[in-house]
Amino acid sequence: MKTIAVIGSGSWGVALSIHLASIGHNVKIWSFDDEEARLINEEKKCKFLPMAVIPNNIVCKNDFKEVIEGADFILHVTPSKFTRATVKQYKEFVDCEKQPIIVCSKGIEKDTALTLDEVIKQEIPKARVGALSGPSHAEEVSIAVPTVLVSASKDEEVRKLVQDTFMNEKMRVYTSEDIKGVELGGALKNIIAFCAGVATELGYGDNTFAALITRGLTEIRRLGTKLGAESNTLYGLSGLGDLIVTCLSEHSRNRRAGRLIGQGKSIEETKKEVGMTIESIDNIEVAKHLSEKLNVSMPIVDAVYDILYNNLEPEEAVRMLMTREKKMED
């Protein structure tokens, strides 16, 4: 059995911790929030996962050194916008030879347009880095609903370490060398899920959702391959798979955010009501910037950007998408 450090006490960090602890591993979670740590340690609860029970072999601390010291590897599970700042705080405690860092967050850094593994490598050049992603809601992983993920890394030992540690009858893990594709699929699908929420609020049906998912995946593929991802990865679990589950599930905070915007709420009102990080809103600006910089056609991203930042009405955005110039499917 292993000891795993988990940086982040949000719903996904706690869900992964519960899964690992259920197999018999010891888990140490880092949290910046004293009340979250108290709930985990004393009441064996997570405020984001009301159905989950925290096993006894999980502890939560506010000290990076205590959490990282003695761990076999580190799961980084903070919102993308806080990744660099958080890594700066704990990097001095990481043994780069013995403690790989596995990105479990989904997003792109706004100021640099870097994927999160690249952010970590900038801050800790000698770090051995991987990513774990796929179609998965924390609410379901925390109660042992069968789930399939992808462990990605250029380092074969790292990706197999994660596969061996996580796999049991409730979780299957595939491996991939394409860490860029795995990360981009996880980040960009949130934008399309946001659109799915808007479409839900407008009362659209199955035809619309099928079109949105399919054409949304086309935009993810266009930008992803331009940035160095492999098409097969984007059509796999961490791309198409994650896109489907996030677009169609009420568990998705990105879909919920889209619904709230569709109701006419502001970005700030939406963030307050959701109460958790909304990666889609954080990443829409990045995707828009990259599509323009790289000359990649992303009409869905353009439309949702205009809804959020240029006061475009959702119904008008749909009309504009539906009446674009005629073309062949690509």
Side-chain angles (χ1 to χ4, degrees), residues 29 62 69 108 128 160 167 197 229 303:
I29 302 174
N62 303 120
E69 196 170 66
I108 304 170
R128 303 169 69 198
K160 286 188 174 180
M167 272 191 66

Side-chain angles (χ1 to χ4, degrees), residues 241-307:
D242 209 357
L243 179 63
I244 291 170
V245 77
T246 313
C247 283
L248 300 183
S249 175
E250 290 296 335
H251 288 313
S252 169
R253 71 188 73 164
N254 293 288
R255 186 176 188 268
R256 183 181 173 200
R259 294 196 67 166
L260 293 170
I261 294 292
Q263 293 170 13
K265 297 190 184 241
S266 69
I267 293 175
E268 290 310 311
E269 288 171 332
T270 297
K271 288 181 177 179
K272 184 176 181 181
E273 187 160 336
V274 172
M276 294 184 282
T277 297
I278 306 168
E279 292 284 9
S280 56
I281 291 178
D282 293 337
N283 286 166
I284 284 166
E285 290 180 275
V286 184
K288 172 74 170 173
H289 165 73
L290 285 171
S291 69
E292 292 176 344
K293 178 182 176 181
L294 299 172
N295 194 29
V296 175
S297 175
M298 301 184 76
I300 297 173
V301 169
D302 292 341
V304 72
Y305 179 89
D306 286 340
I307 289 171

Side-chain angles (χ1 to χ4, degrees), residues 171-235:
M171 183 173 287
R172 182 169 179 79
V173 181
Y174 289 89
T175 61
S176 171
E177 296 180 6
D178 184 18
I179 188 170
K180 172 77 79 172
V182 166
E183 285 220 63
L184 287 173
L188 296 172
K189 58 85 186 178
N190 286 327
I191 299 171
I192 308 304
F194 178 92
C195 298
V198 175
T200 300
E201 202 57 38
L202 294 177
Y204 296 143
D206 295 343
N207 295 356
T208 309
F209 284 104
L212 176 62
I213 290 172
T214 307
R215 297 309 298 172
L217 182 61
T218 296
E219 295 192 17
I220 291 170
R221 175 186 54 78
R222 286 174 182 162
L223 184 59
T225 53
K226 197 82 169 183
L227 290 168
E230 297 176 11
S231 289
N232 285 346
T233 304
L234 299 172
Y235 286 119

Side-chain angles (χ1 to χ4, degrees), residues 111-164:
D111 293 339
T112 64
L114 295 175
T115 51
L116 302 186
D117 68 296
E118 293 170 329
V119 172
I120 291 172
K121 288 291 285 184
Q122 272 197 350
E123 292 297 325
I124 314 176
K126 293 183 179 179
R128 303 169 69 198
V129 182
L132 182 67
S133 191
S136 50
H137 288 303
E139 293 84 353
E140 296 188 359
V141 169
S142 69
I143 56 172
V145 172
T147 300
V148 185
L149 301 176
V150 180
S151 167
S153 179
K154 296 294 185 186
D155 186 323
E156 181 180 12
E157 186 177 341
V158 170
R159 58 181 183 262
K160 286 188 174 180
L161 170 66
V162 174
Q163 182 183 50
D164 292 343

